[in-house]
Amino acid sequence: MSELVTGEAVALELRPARLPSRALAVLLDLVAAMAVYVAVTIVLVTSTASLDEAAQTALSIATFVLVLVGAPVAVETLSHGRSLGKMACGLRVVRDDGGPIRFRHALVRGLIGVIEILMTFGVVACVASFVSARGRRLGDVFAGTLVVRERIPVTRTGFVPPPPPWLAGRFSGLDLSAVPDGLWLAVRQYLTRMQQLDPQVGRSMAERLASDLAERTGAPVPQGVPPAAYLAAVVQERQAREARRAFGGDAARAAMPAVVPATHGPEASTEARGGAPAAYGPHGGAPDVVSEPSAVERPPESPAGPAGERPGTGFVPPA
């Protein structure tokens, strides 16, 4: 099954659309466009009955081009790749890199679609979709676009634990373009199941995956970082980049887990004081990171008394 790589466990996890769903979306778009075309033609015929035959022919051609070519291009441009039929089928047109399409992408798809869909009754588009590995027609190939599914069937997937807060943003400079999709899938499968593995097996798997990932990125695993925490942090960085590419900074920030604020006292969590969460312990492939205690553990202060009077200490001198 071919997947568009846009990050795991993110709303951007999109997959190329299949031919039946694309055909249904195109059919709905054609039905809507033809209904509009017939209505506009009736109005034009009624209102231009006094014109000569050449003027009526020119208006008919202009109406055909505007309604069956210009309108779909405008709709896809303004809706960022979602026509009426695609919205009904849960599809969207995106660029090859996963970003939203622009006017030039929609224009190329619309112009070539006249030939491969309208003039050949969709035969050329179907053949091109069968040949293409991602189900792209000729308009998608020349425009550099891809039709993907927005609504993914809900499946039971394991929970991917977030990386420690002290690793947030540490791998923002990594080059992730050379990492293959199979390695990303293997990393995610390990993170979702590492608590179910034997400690020794989980440790060896984390070390091997971290080594492969570091080799692909060209940067070694930092010293003192557990391999499992390293894997989770790099996956989080990938998610943030894909969200930032498609939706901007707000989505990237939403994809980042909230950092637990630091607290004082014995109830402070390990993550709040800079340590790795428990999920990256024995199964993480490296010993736990021991957090350093805070320099001063301050007892809770008692409320101040009246002005000019020191608060009581609770100490009673002996008699």
Side-chain angles (χ1 to χ4, degrees):
M1 180 172 54
S2 176
E3 294 188 3
L4 177 66
V5 180
T6 52
E8 299 292 342
V10 183
L12 245 178
E13 186 181 2
L14 305 177
R15 302 179 183 180
R18 300 294 184 182
L19 181 59
S21 59
R22 294 192 61 178
L24 179 59
V26 171
L27 180 61
L28 294 176
D29 290 335
L30 288 178
V31 169
M34 291 302 298
V36 174
Y37 177 72
V38 170
V40 173
T41 301
I42 293 175
V43 173
L44 287 178
V45 169
T46 304
S47 60
T48 60
S50 59
L51 298 178
D52 55 3
E53 184 177 355
Q56 292 180 356
T57 303
L59 286 176
S60 299
I61 296 175
T63 301
F64 176 84
V65 173
L66 289 177
V67 175
L68 296 182
V69 180
V73 170
V75 170
E76 283 194 355
T77 303
L78 296 177
S79 62
H80 299 290
R82 300 183 67 193
S83 62
L84 181 63
K86 291 181 177 62
M87 284 190 289
C89 297
L91 307 180
R92 180 190 289 269
V93 182
V94 297
R95 300 196 307 262
D96 282 338
D97 59 359
I101 65 172
R102 301 181 183 274
F103 172 73
R104 60 184 179 87
H105 303 98
L107 180 61
V108 173
R109 295 185 77 256
L111 293 178
I112 299 181
V114 174
I115 300 175
E116 63 174 336
I117 295 178
L118 296 181
M119 294 186 178
T120 63
F121 300 98
V123 175
V124 175
C126 291
V127 173
S129 298
F130 275 120
V131 174
S132 175
R134 292 185 172 182
R136 302 197 300 175
R137 62 179 178 88
L138 294 181
D140 294 317
V141 174
F142 285 100
T145 57
L146 178 69
V147 180
V148 297
R149 288 188 291 165
E150 285 191 308
R151 296 197 292 264
I152 304 298
V154 179
T155 56
R156 296 176 62 95
T157 57
F159 170 72
V160 179
W166 50 272
L167 286 179
R170 186 169 179 178
F171 303 104
S172 57
L174 286 182
D175 182 12
L176 306 179
S177 59
V179 182
D181 299 349
L183 182 55
W184 287 123
L185 181 60
V187 170
R188 185 176 185 275
Q189 288 179 345
Y190 165 75
L191 292 175
T192 56
R193 302 173 183 175
M194 62 181 182
Q195 296 300 318
Q196 305 173 4
L197 301 175
D198 178 77
Q200 185 176 0
V201 174
R203 184 180 302 111
S204 62
M205 289 183 61
E207 292 176 351
R208 185 176 67 255
L209 290 173
S211 177
D212 294 343
L213 191 58
E215 182 181 356
R216 296 285 185 173
T217 58
V221 181
Q223 292 291 335
V225 177
Y230 167 78
L231 296 175
V234 176
V235 169
Q236 181 194 82
E237 175 62 27
R238 177 171 176 258
Q239 295 174 1
R241 292 185 188 182
E242 295 294 345
R244 191 184 308 115
R245 177 188 302 169
F247 302 112
D250 294 338
R253 285 190 293 270
M256 301 285 288
V259 178
V260 181
T263 57
H264 297 283
E267 70 279 1
S269 63
T270 305
E271 294 92 333
R273 283 187 267 173
Y280 304 110
H283 300 282
D288 293 340
V289 178
V290 180
S291 61
E292 297 181 359
S294 57
V296 179
E297 295 290 347
R298 299 181 179 179
E301 298 180 357
S302 59
E309 184 176 319
R310 298 179 59 186
T313 61
F315 174 74
V316 179

